[in-house]
Amino acid sequence: MKAAYYERQGPARDVLVVGHVQTPQPGPGEVRVRVHFSGVNPTDIKGRDGFAGPMPFPLVIPHQDGAGRIDAVGPGVSKDRVGERVWIYEAQHGRPHGTAAEYVVVPDANAVKLPDNVFLEIGACLGIPALTAHRCLFADGRLHGRRVLVQGGAGAVGTAAILLAKWAGAWVATTVSNADQAVVATTAGADLVIQRKTNDVAAAVLSATHNVGVDRIVDVNIAANLDIDFACLADGGVISAFAVNRPDESLALPLLKAMIKGALFRFVFTYTTPTEAKAQAIVDITACLEAGAYHPAIGLSVPLDHITDAHEEQERGVLGKVLLDLLPD
């Protein structure tokens, strides 16, 4: 099969190779998916450039997320799954081969049936963004009638958080950096979009919530935003952080302020989210999809041969989700 892979870490243009490797076969409890779209995430970049640690395997086919059709199943998996349209998550977690290939083998549970009304491109946008956003939003109870602030609403996780929170009945404010990002956040359904470089975020949030603040904050950069988060947080609220800028990044927490607020901090790393929480996330994401309420922005879709461009655009911060298109000719 055709695949993209690397055998050493470094810049995309230096290490990524597109060539032919052996087509995998599903083992017990596994399914094989003919990949139609592969989703690129920051975690894929961090694995390739060494941010996340040394090479875990001699050869890595990157990418955790994707979508396609099951074309073979291993022992213990119902043959009725053959032909099923699915979205894939954590394809390359603890394994050498991800979705940047014509075929990928994953555990049965990691290939989730995609509702008939949802395009495969959307399926490839789920995985890490949707599961991360769900954990940030729903780990601490129901959202209906709650107030949410998403710091960085135009990013993949931020957009997923807006979409899921609105589907669940929450009021959502979000921060963006420019007018183009504001369009993405508004299209996703945010009730209040704040340009953080030119506006006082806390003043805008407190004004919109009658000085009560928000119950949940989903934050892409808590180290930079902590003071703003505290100013926006309602008593007893939750701040969920899901990203860091450096492996050694730390956070100085003002304990008295946190105690007075009764604040709860949640740090989310999707790979270690409890299995039962992921199962509930999949139930909720499926319901959101079936309702037609999940419509992320896709910023770039290129063929497998252009994976270097995809990685470089992801690193540059292209607006919208980055996909590889592996549809059969």
Side-chain angles (χ1 to χ4, degrees), residues 87 112 115 131 134 164 167 276-290:
W87 61 274
V112 183
L131 291 171
H134 187 278
L164 288 169
W167 165 77
E276 59 273 17
K278 267 182 195 157
Q280 184 58 53
I282 289 168
V283 170
D284 289 343
I285 291 165
T286 299
C288 182
L289 291 167
E290 289 175 339

Side-chain angles (χ1 to χ4, degrees), residues 149-220:
L149 170 62
V150 179
Q151 292 273 31
V157 175
T159 302
I162 295 170
L163 294 168
L164 288 169
K166 290 304 300 176
W167 165 77
W171 178 89
V172 180
T174 189
T175 59
V176 297
S177 296
N178 55 53
D180 290 338
Q181 291 186 1
V183 171
V184 172
T186 300
T187 302
D191 299 283
L192 176 64
V193 179
I194 309 163
Q195 297 230 17
R196 62 180 183 84
K197 293 182 178 180
T198 56
N199 291 277
D200 184 326
V201 175
V205 168
L206 292 174
S207 175
T209 61
H210 306 289
N211 290 316
V212 173
V214 294
D215 305 295
R216 310 278 164 78
I217 296 176
V218 180
D219 204 321
V220 68

Side-chain angles (χ1 to χ4, degrees), residues 88-174:
I88 304 160
Y89 70 93
E90 295 180 18
Q92 202 248 305
H93 179 53
R95 306 159 70 90
H97 298 165
T99 64
E102 291 179 315
Y103 295 90
V104 67
V105 167
V106 296
D108 181 35
N110 290 51
V112 183
K113 186 175 181 179
L114 195 64
D116 292 339
N117 63 315
V118 180
F119 292 120
L120 286 167
E121 293 97 322
I122 301 301
C125 296
L126 299 171
I128 287 172
L131 291 171
T132 299
H134 187 278
R135 182 65 173 167
C136 290
L137 291 167
F138 294 88
D140 300 285
R142 63 192 292 273
L143 272 190
H144 187 80
R146 301 285 190 178
R147 298 169 300 275
V148 174
L149 170 62
V150 179
Q151 292 273 31
V157 175
T159 302
I162 295 170
L163 294 168
L164 288 169
K166 290 304 300 176
W167 165 77
W171 178 89
V172 180
T174 189

Side-chain angles (χ1 to χ4, degrees), residues 2-327:
K2 191 175 183 180
Y5 59 88
Y6 55 90
E7 296 176 282
R8 59 188 177 91
Q9 291 169 315
R13 209 158 285 276
D14 293 346
V15 303
L16 283 171
V17 175
V18 177
H20 288 273
V21 300
Q22 186 172 0
T23 302
Q25 301 299 321
E30 295 179 330
V31 299
R32 186 175 71 189
V33 178
R34 174 58 171 99
V35 180
H36 288 195
F37 293 94
S38 174
V40 185
N41 290 290
T43 187
D44 303 312
I45 307 301
K46 291 173 180 177
R48 191 211 70 231
D49 68 12
F51 180 102
M55 287 279 292
F57 303 97
L59 183 150
V60 172
I61 297 174
H63 301 178
Q64 302 288 350
D65 299 343
R69 287 185 181 271
I70 293 175
D71 82 318
V73 299
V77 179
S78 171
K79 288 183 171 54
D80 290 343
R81 295 213 70 187
V82 173
E84 196 173 281
R85 299 165 71 252
V86 295
W87 61 274
I88 304 160
Y89 70 93
E90 295 180 18
Q92 202 248 305
H93 179 53
R95 306 159 70 90
H97 298 165
T99 64
E102 291 179 315
Y103 295 90
V104 67
V105 167
V106 296
D108 181 35
N110 290 51
V112 183
K113 186 175 181 179
L114 195 64
D116 292 339
N117 63 315
V118 180
F119 292 120
L120 286 167
E121 293 97 322
I122 301 301
C125 296
L126 299 171
I128 287 172
L131 291 171
T132 299
H134 187 278
R135 182 65 173 167
C136 290
L137 291 167
F138 294 88
D140 300 285
R142 63 192 292 273
L143 272 190
H144 187 80
R146 301 285 190 178
R147 298 169 300 275
V148 174
L149 170 62
V150 179
Q151 292 273 31
V157 175
T159 302
I162 295 170
L163 294 168
L164 288 169
K166 290 304 300 176
W167 165 77
W171 178 89
V172 180
T174 189
T175 59
V176 297
S177 296
N178 55 53
D180 290 338
Q181 291 186 1
V183 171
V184 172
T186 300
T187 302
D191 299 283
L192 176 64
V193 179
I194 309 163
Q195 297 230 17
R196 62 180 183 84
K197 293 182 178 180
T198 56
N199 291 277
D200 184 326
V201 175
V205 168
L206 292 174
S207 175
T209 61
H210 306 289
N211 290 316
V212 173
V214 294
D215 305 295
R216 310 278 164 78
I217 296 176
V218 180
D219 204 321
V220 68
N221 190 359
I222 190 174
N225 296 329
L226 185 59
D227 288 341
I228 296 172
D229 288 349
F230 268 126
C232 295
L233 193 67
D235 291 345
V238 182
I239 301 173
S240 292
F242 63 87
V244 295
N245 295 308
R246 305 184 316 275
D248 62 348
E249 189 170 24
S250 60
L251 181 68
L253 183 63
L255 292 177
L256 180 59
K257 189 181 289 188
M259 289 176 185
I260 291 171
K261 280 281 187 181
L264 174 64
F265 287 82
R266 181 170 294 283
F267 297 92
V268 175
F269 187 60
T270 190
Y271 303 115
T272 55
T273 295
T275 301
E276 59 273 17
K278 267 182 195 157
Q280 184 58 53
I282 289 168
V283 170
D284 289 343
I285 291 165
T286 299
C288 182
L289 291 167
E290 289 175 339
Y294 201 96
H295 42 84
I298 297 175
L300 180 70
S301 182
V302 297
L304 179 64
D305 287 338
H306 292 268
I307 186 173
T308 296
D309 296 330
H311 274 228
E312 290 178 344
E313 286 299 309
Q314 177 69 53
E315 291 179 276
R316 275 192 284 266
V318 65
L319 193 59
K321 187 68 179 174
V322 177
L323 301 179
L324 295 181
D325 183 342
L326 292 103
L327 280 168

